[in-house]
Amino acid sequence: MSALPDPDYASEFYASVPAKRLLAWVIDGFIVFGLTSLIVLLTAFVGLWFWGVIFLVLGFAYRVVTIANTSATWGMYFTGIELRAANGSRFDTSLSFLHTLGYTISVSIPILQIISIVLMLTSARKQGLTDMMLGSVMINRRA
């Protein structure tokens, strides 16, 4: 028996999760963009030479730290969703790192990202590729 909510008997945990994931992704993108812009300003625009590297490193760190602390990024928290491990627990730092690494690899290789999106839209638990590999799920947060 799984510790995760059953999509057949507790479908409310998975309702609208793909749309909420997309909105959370956009919100998180704006947050990382804003933080990257702040770093560029604080470095007297020297950071413009390294914009891509700063964005990638800051985005990675942002995802790992926020998911490790609350099992959700700020965008996920705003949209009312959170990640859960295969045993139903919240994410710890190592699982947050692995999930972020899987996400980063997926967005770096377009075919993997397409597969992940298709899985989110068609699987019973709305899991992406990284979620399936780790056994994790994204669910609606309890009120």
Side-chain angles (χ1 to χ4, degrees):
M1 185 169 130
S2 175
L4 298 171
D6 187 300
D8 293 327
Y9 298 107
S11 61
E12 64 275 9
F13 282 103
Y14 304 101
S16 303
V17 166
K20 290 178 179 182
R21 282 181 99 145
L22 177 61
L23 180 57
W25 181 78
V26 170
I27 292 168
D28 291 331
F30 278 117
I31 291 169
V32 173
F33 180 84
L35 292 171
T36 304
S37 298
L38 181 62
I39 288 173
V40 168
L41 288 173
L42 292 174
T43 62
F45 295 96
V46 173
L48 277 175
W49 292 100
F50 309 103
W51 175 272
V53 173
I54 294 170
F55 190 89
L56 289 173
V57 170
L58 190 62
F60 194 94
Y62 163 80
R63 289 183 65 81
V64 170
V65 169
T66 55
I67 292 172
N69 286 326
T70 60
S71 216
T73 63
W74 292 343
M76 292 173 197
Y77 187 82
F78 177 79
T79 59
I81 55 178
E82 65 183 358
L83 287 158
R84 290 297 175 132
N87 64 3
S89 67
R90 292 178 176 266
F91 273 35
D92 60 11
T93 304
S94 61
L95 198 51
S96 300
F97 178 84
L98 290 173
H99 195 275
T100 301
L101 181 62
Y103 161 79
T104 303
I105 292 168
S106 287
V107 297
S108 300
I109 303 170
I111 190 67
L112 295 180
Q113 187 62 17
I114 291 167
I115 291 168
S116 192
I117 291 168
V118 169
L119 289 171
M120 285 180 217
L121 295 172
T122 60
S123 64
R125 287 197 161 112
K126 312 302 181 201
Q127 294 169 292
L129 192 57
T130 300
D131 296 319
M132 287 195 168
M133 292 179 75
L134 295 175
S136 60
V137 295
M138 181 80 70
I139 58 171
N140 287 309
R141 219 174 42 244
R142 294 178 194 228

